Amino acid sequence: MSTRHDTVVIGGGVTGLTAAWRLTEAGQDVVVLEARDRVGGRLRSERHDGSLFEIGGQWVSPDQEALIGLLDELGLETYSRHREGESVYVDRAGVARRFTGEDLPVDEQTGKEIERIIGVIDDLAAHMDPDRPWEHPQADRLDRVSFAQWLDEQTDDQEARDNIALYLGPAMLTKPTWSFSALTAVLMSASAGSFTNLVDADFILDKRVVGGLASVPAALAERLGDRVRLSSDVTQVAWDSEGATVTVNGEQLRATSVVLALPPTHVRRIRIEPELPAEHRHAREHQSFGLVIKVQAEYVAPFWRQLGLSGTGFAPYELVHEVYDNTPDGSTTGHLVGFVSDVNADAVGRLSDEERRARVLASIAAYFGDAALTPSAYVESDWQHQELTGGAYATSFDVGSLTRYGRALHEPVGPIRFGSSDVAGLGFQHVDGAVRMGTRLAGQILAGLAAG
Ligand code: FDA
């Protein structure tokens, strides 16, 4: 069987669904092909014993204007993360220290060093257009050194280094700081407006969506109706000067434009004929997923609030390097969410489920005491085990590859366009970036048609 369309979008995450919705609004005949039996990609909610757990993305920050605009458009409401009370920092000696505000309870000199380096990164980020990081005035130099090396050059203060490393390595790019460049660290910062924004948990983890962030793809898919086809794992696209033919489930879909709204790592699962230029393949071979395990524990009550604690905690020295109150709006139980990143995630990934759970809960107890050891429910994210994602939160670039290949990531090839939050500028690695990429790809297709 064969059908004809204006645009076929491959991938039903927020990027693909946003592109499809904008094109549909403009009057195009669009089909979305999604490999999974659900839409949303890296956004997914689950209910365990009646409680909502967001397994993928969940937070919205004030700089994420494209996402906030879409939430308004879809009529989705937000609520603030619980943050009243003191935060906890577990120091190098394993001592849990309470603090309020942004300044970590480290010694004065270390605090000054942290502040100074935040200023240096802010300054570098202010000179970057996140859509074109390779044009940064210091791009070549910054892309040749790992972020770990760059940090070593900035200060001898180990605890200052450990904390700055935490913000950009485990907490954001979810890779060891020796595996990505200083330029990628600056991109991550510029994509959120500044490094100051990234280190401010009250800013970057500001709001959640009532019903979960996965309500965004669900609402878009509802609007798109039967234009969205699930269980359609595309493995073949053939293109020519007139358009492209997508083959899936024994059917051929012919379209003037095709959008591959996939993580860059997944483009090569598709056999594209004629094959992509070498630079495109190389560019994507130098972009890979980080790894973080999102761990969530539900308790009969938010016991930390009774202790005067907000549920927020940070520690570069803990297995769970950051933790927050994650109680859904209106819930009477208490939820905590924590993250185990990169090499720590590798290590606990080799343990049995029971051993990993025990290690994770012991680490959360280092922040909040032994009451953390006995949750009523415990849920881990599983993205690393899913072929259609493969890691978390997103993909980032090898040392040296942004300046070498970055430009190719946005180049169309014939009628095929590429995009996902992994190649966004503003909103890089975030749902906001997915909305921006989807909107941009749709705009480019419509502008191309208008230009004739
Ligand atoms: P995404 O990967 O979501 O979509 C791609 C789609 O393509 C998938 O549905 C996939 O199944 C499909 N696909 C792949 N190959 C295919 C093929 N051959 N044929 C058809 N379909 C195919 N962001 C944020 O803003 N706030 C947050 O708090 C967090 N936190 C967070 C936590 C965790 C654990 C994760 C994993 C991620 C986040 N994120 C986040 C990141 C955010 O979830 C992510 O950036 C976007 O959801 C990515 O959306 P995309 O549509 O670009 O890709």
Side-chain angles (χ1 to χ4, degrees):
M1 193 178 129
S2 157
T3 52
R4 296 192 75 88
H5 309 276
D6 293 321
T7 300
V8 169
V9 176
I10 302 173
V14 173
T15 300
L17 293 169
T18 304
W21 178 239
R22 295 297 173 227
L23 291 167
T24 302
E25 281 183 314
Q28 280 217 339
D29 168 8
V30 180
V31 173
V32 180
L33 300 171
E34 165 55 49
R36 288 175 160 109
D37 60 3
R38 60 167 184 86
V39 293
R42 280 169 268 178
L43 298 183
R44 168 178 131 228
S45 292
E46 287 176 3
R47 287 207 171 264
H48 293 267
D49 290 333
S51 296
L52 182 87
F53 289 82
E54 297 192 66
I55 309 299
Q58 63 170 67
W59 283 298
V60 184
S61 57
D63 60 308
Q64 299 180 339
E65 291 167 2
L67 172 58
I68 292 169
L70 184 60
L71 291 172
D72 282 349
E73 194 180 326
L74 297 174
L76 296 171
E77 288 178 14
T78 59
Y79 62 99
S80 292
R81 180 173 63 82
H82 176 85
R83 62 192 71 170
E84 286 77 44
E86 290 180 303
S87 304
V88 177
Y89 175 73
V90 182
D91 70 14
R92 274 203 279 187
V95 177
R97 299 183 180 279
R98 291 170 170 236
F99 69 105
T100 49
E102 292 312 306
D103 297 336
L104 297 173
V106 289
D107 75 45
E108 195 184 333
Q109 190 49 36
T110 297
K112 281 188 181 153
E113 275 300 84
I114 291 175
E115 211 171 302
R116 188 182 63 74
I117 299 168
I118 289 174
V120 173
I121 300 176
D122 272 347
D123 193 45
L124 289 168
H127 289 90
M128 176 179 278
D129 172 353
D131 273 328
R132 279 177 280 282
W134 48 89
E135 289 178 4
H136 188 279
Q138 298 182 40
D140 285 341
R141 190 179 69 81
L142 292 170
D143 208 24
R144 284 174 197 194
V145 288
S146 75
F147 187 57
Q149 285 169 300
W150 183 88
L151 261 181
D152 283 349
E153 290 163 14
Q154 303 304 309
T155 180
D156 292 333
D157 186 316
Q158 185 65 48
E159 198 168 6
R161 282 207 296 254
D162 292 342
N163 277 289
I164 298 284
L166 171 70
Y167 293 127
L168 282 157
M172 274 295 152
L173 292 156
T174 64
K175 288 181 173 176
T177 50
W178 58 87
S179 66
F180 58 86
S181 73
L183 189 67
T184 300
V186 176
L187 165 61
M188 187 77 244
S189 307
S191 75
S194 68
F195 188 45
T196 295
N197 285 348
L198 272 193
V199 303
D200 180 352
D202 286 346
F203 180 92
I204 208 77
L205 313 178
D206 184 27
K207 302 270 192 219
R208 293 179 66 186
V209 173
V210 175
L213 196 47
S215 308
V216 170
L220 286 169
E222 197 182 320
R223 288 182 181 209
L224 285 161
D226 61 10
R227 296 177 187 89
V228 179
R229 301 192 196 166
L230 302 177
S231 305
S232 299
D233 190 358
V234 175
T235 53
Q236 219 181 325
V237 175
W239 62 276
D240 52 52
S241 58
E242 307 289 311
T245 302
V246 178
T247 306
V248 68
N249 298 339
E251 189 184 340
Q252 295 199 317
L253 292 89
R254 180 78 190 163
T256 311
S257 302
V258 168
V259 173
L260 295 194
L262 315 171
T265 41
H266 286 56
V267 170
R268 69 180 152 211
R269 282 183 76 247
I270 301 177
R271 178 106 179 98
I272 298 175
E273 288 176 83
E275 64 189 343
L276 298 179
E279 197 180 8
H280 273 250
R281 280 203 317 277
H282 293 158
R284 296 189 178 97
E285 277 161 12
H286 288 276
Q287 206 172 349
S288 57
F289 263 97
L291 172 58
V292 69
I293 305 174
K294 179 176 180 178
V295 294
Q296 300 186 69
E298 182 179 11
Y299 301 89
V300 284
F303 66 88
W304 53 95
R305 295 187 192 171
Q306 270 102 60
L307 302 171
L309 296 172
S310 61
T312 300
F314 308 100
Y317 313 108
E318 273 301 324
L319 178 68
V320 178
H321 65 262
E322 57 185 324
V323 56
Y324 305 96
D325 187 316
N326 211 34
T327 308
D329 203 26
S331 170
T332 53
T333 60
H335 291 231
L336 290 173
V337 61
F339 296 91
V340 180
S341 186
D342 60 273
V343 291
N344 282 331
D346 298 340
V348 297
R350 295 181 203 110
L351 302 177
S352 69
D353 292 352
E354 294 72 28
E355 285 172 311
R356 186 168 55 254
R357 174 187 155 125
R359 293 274 312 277
V360 164
L361 292 174
S363 184
I364 296 177
Y367 295 89
F368 306 123
D370 285 353
L373 295 173
T374 48
S376 52
Y378 173 83
V379 178
E380 289 177 358
S381 67
D382 58 353
W383 299 101
Q384 69 277 28
H385 302 302
Q386 300 198 2
E387 191 198 350
L388 290 165
T389 300
Y393 309 111
T395 70
S396 51
F397 309 89
D398 289 352
V399 172
S401 65
L402 252 182
T403 45
R404 192 170 170 201
Y405 300 118
R407 289 169 189 81
L409 295 168
H410 294 278
E411 258 174 24
V413 174
I416 307 174
R417 293 180 182 276
F418 307 84
S420 67
S421 71
D422 312 82
V423 293
L426 289 176
F428 172 52
Q429 294 209 344
H430 285 83
V431 176
D432 180 66
V435 176
R436 289 176 196 267
M437 284 309 304
T439 306
R440 185 190 301 176
L441 292 166
Q444 288 170 349
I445 289 170
L446 296 172
L449 292 179

